[in-house]
Amino acid sequence: IGLIGYYTDSGIGFGFSSRAWAGFALRDFLIFGASVAALGFPTGDNTVILGTVGFHTEIFPLFPLGGTYRELGLALETGIGTGIVMPGTDTSKLLVDGGYSSSVGVSAFYEGVRLGPKVSMGPYLGYDYVWSSSLRGGAFVLGWRTALYPLNKK
C-alpha cells in the first residue's frame, strides 16, 4: 500500500457490466432499493474484475412535466465493493486484491421504450468508481437498461 514498486496500472479496456437491483417506489418519481453489480474487462496483458453490493436510488426529476420527460431518470448507487487485477495468461495470480472497497455510481437513463404496461427499457450511461487503500478504479458504462414494474396498474 503506497509503495510505488508494487504499483500496477491496468490500463484502459472494453468489457462487460451487469447490474441487478430490486426496490420499491416511494413516489412515482422516487425509487429506492438494493443492488448488486459486476464489471470485467481485459486491458492489454491484464484482466480487471470489479463487484459491488449496495443501495440503489432513482429519481425522475422531470416527471411532473409528463410525456417523454417523465421517462428521463437519474440513479445513484452507493455501497461496498471489491476488485482484482490479474494477468490474462495466469488468472491464479493476483496483481491487485482490492479487499473491501467503497463504491459509488451515477447514471442517466431513458425508459421510453415499452413492452406492455409492465416492462420499460432504454439507453443508459453511467460511471462507477471503486476505491480503497489498495485499489482505485473507475468505469464508464454505456448500455441498455430494462426495468420490470410488476405492480404497475396501467
Side-chain angles (χ1 to χ4, degrees):
I1 298 172
L3 299 175
I4 196 66
Y6 294 98
Y7 181 78
T8 299
D9 183 355
S10 67
I12 297 174
F14 294 95
F16 76 91
S17 175
S18 179
R19 172 170 282 133
W21 64 272
F24 53 92
L26 299 171
R27 303 286 296 176
D28 287 338
F29 58 87
L30 179 61
I31 299 171
F32 185 73
S35 69
V36 60
L39 181 128
F41 52 94
T43 62
D45 296 335
N46 299 324
T47 299
V48 177
I49 299 173
L50 302 173
T52 64
V53 295
F55 297 105
H56 178 92
T57 304
E58 285 184 2
I59 60 168
F60 292 83
L62 303 178
F63 189 86
L65 300 177
T68 301
Y69 297 111
R70 71 187 293 166
E71 309 297 342
L72 295 169
L74 302 171
L76 174 68
E77 305 272 345
T78 57
I80 61 170
T82 191
I84 58 173
V85 179
M86 57 196 156
T89 57
D90 182 8
T91 57
S92 65
K93 178 182 176 187
L94 291 182
L95 299 173
V96 175
D97 182 353
Y100 287 114
S101 304
S102 298
S103 71
V104 65
V106 294
S107 61
F109 56 89
Y110 173 71
E111 275 192 2
V113 179
R114 302 276 183 193
L115 291 177
K118 298 185 185 283
V119 177
S120 182
M121 59 182 78
Y124 164 92
L125 177 63
Y127 182 75
D128 292 321
Y129 189 72
V130 177
W131 74 96
S132 70
S133 58
S134 60
L135 171 77
R136 289 183 308 273
F140 285 100
V141 179
L142 175 63
W144 191 259
R145 165 193 160 101
T146 303
L148 170 65
Y149 297 101
L151 302 178
N152 190 359
K153 296 177 185 176
K154 295 180 182 180

